[in-house]
Amino acid sequence: MSTPRKSTKARLIEAALDLFAERGVTETTTKAVAERAQVNEVTLFRNFGNKYRLLLAVIEDSAVFAKLVHALVEQANAKDSVAEFLQEYAQKSLLTLEKAPDLVRSIVGESGNYPIENRLALGKGLSEANRYVAEYLEEAIAKEGLDSSLTPEQIVNLLNFVLMGYFVVQSSCEGYNLWDEEDDFLASLVTLFLHGFTTSASALEVSETSIVKVEPPEAVDLPASLVRSLFRQARKTGRQEFALVYVLFGAGLSPEEALRLERSHSVVEPQQNILQINYGKVRQVPINHWIMGYRYGSSSINPLTQWLKSRKDNRAEIFIDDAGEAMTRVELENTWQKLTTDLLTPQGEPPAIEQARQTWCIEMLMRGIDLEDLSILSGMEIQQLKYYAQKARNKSALEAAARLDQKKSKP
């Protein structure tokens, strides 16, 4: 049987893709595309109107990004580790880019001249491609027991930006070689994404810039009596201090997330006071009214809403210093230190501000929330929360034993 002849549109799209890859978008003429497709130029204009409409059809109809990325990921996903996955994906990406340097340079350098629909199509294609790679990367990270403060999509975006920058410089410049061999560049790239941009021993610096092994956190929640004493001290100190402690223990925020809260981020609903978190992992978190057995107001009347109503300034930030400026981490630590003076944990140490979040996580687990929902609310990975789940089970076992002990034994 003879092969069905392709439609005129399909032949024009195929010819355009080939010529864009060979010459770039600017140097490719509509006449050349028509000749390659074996039609006259009038037919091209009748079907697409102009060259940029033809480029739009190439981007949309050929699914060039999806086909390219699917092929790359299928090869990279066969690797056994995240490091090998990243190495293979980066290497295959560069090889693919090198097959059509003029097309890549045209898209990067000339997209500002394209109509808005072309730029939207480019953005959509790249976004879909990145999401596809991110799904595979997320599976690989979970399988290997790794963690990162960046989402898989953020990691893939950064990786692709670096690869594109390297390719453009290497293909456009002479005498600019930071790496002797491409393999050296790829090895450096994988090291960068696995171990971060700095060799500092600071856990904070590493966790914010790299994929790291999940180490068991020291899940030391605070006892209810200590938390109650801390709340009493905060109430006596001032409305802002009371609101701060309420947010830390009621919503389980990290200090950095609390400091970046703004007035508009506090949403009062009939049954809940919800916080919109825009720092780190974007999410919404309800503030608990009941904390460690005590009720602190309602959705509309609580330490946070009372603090905001008492404010006379126009600052957007929820927590401010004495000068009316946004509170810094150092000022937050100083406030916490003053509130916890004379308070000691069962381990004989002053309470750390990070323990407020640990206490919230364990309390939520004891109330019955599952790990997936807690991960959504906390912005933390399920793998990390498993350590808190173990501590919650230990506490539940102690409470169950206490209840049994209170029952009268039968004679």
Side-chain angles (χ1 to χ4, degrees), residues 313-377:
D313 60 274
N314 294 320
R315 293 288 305 191
E317 296 83 6
I318 287 181
F319 299 113
I320 56 178
D321 60 18
D322 293 338
E325 300 295 324
M327 183 181 287
T328 65
R329 177 61 190 258
V330 172
E331 291 166 337
L332 176 61
E333 292 283 0
N334 289 337
T335 299
W336 178 268
Q337 188 174 3
K338 291 177 183 177
L339 294 176
T340 57
T341 300
D342 299 328
L343 295 179
L344 293 177
T345 68
Q347 292 74 30
E349 299 176 352
I353 193 169
E354 290 77 14
Q355 288 180 279
R357 192 180 201 192
Q358 294 178 351
T359 302
W360 175 82
C361 285
I362 293 171
E363 185 181 16
M364 292 291 284
L365 288 164
M366 291 186 67
R367 290 183 180 184
I369 195 170
D370 62 37
L371 285 175
E372 186 174 351
D373 287 342
L374 184 58
S375 176
I376 293 172
L377 293 180

Side-chain angles (χ1 to χ4, degrees), residues 9-45:
K9 274 192 173 183
R11 298 205 314 277
L12 284 166
I13 289 172
E14 187 176 283
L17 179 59
D18 290 341
L19 287 170
F20 289 155
E22 292 171 12
R23 308 177 186 179
V25 177
T26 299
E27 297 301 321
T28 297
T29 64
T30 52
K31 181 179 179 181
V33 173
E35 289 177 352
R36 177 72 66 93
Q38 297 182 339
V39 300
N40 59 51
E41 198 172 6
V42 174
T43 301
L44 184 152
F45 291 134

Side-chain angles (χ1 to χ4, degrees), residues 86 90 159 162-163 184-194:
L86 293 173
L159 179 61
V162 174
L163 288 170
D184 295 332
F185 163 73
L186 292 173
S188 300
L189 186 66
V190 172
T191 300
L192 174 70
F193 278 86
L194 283 178

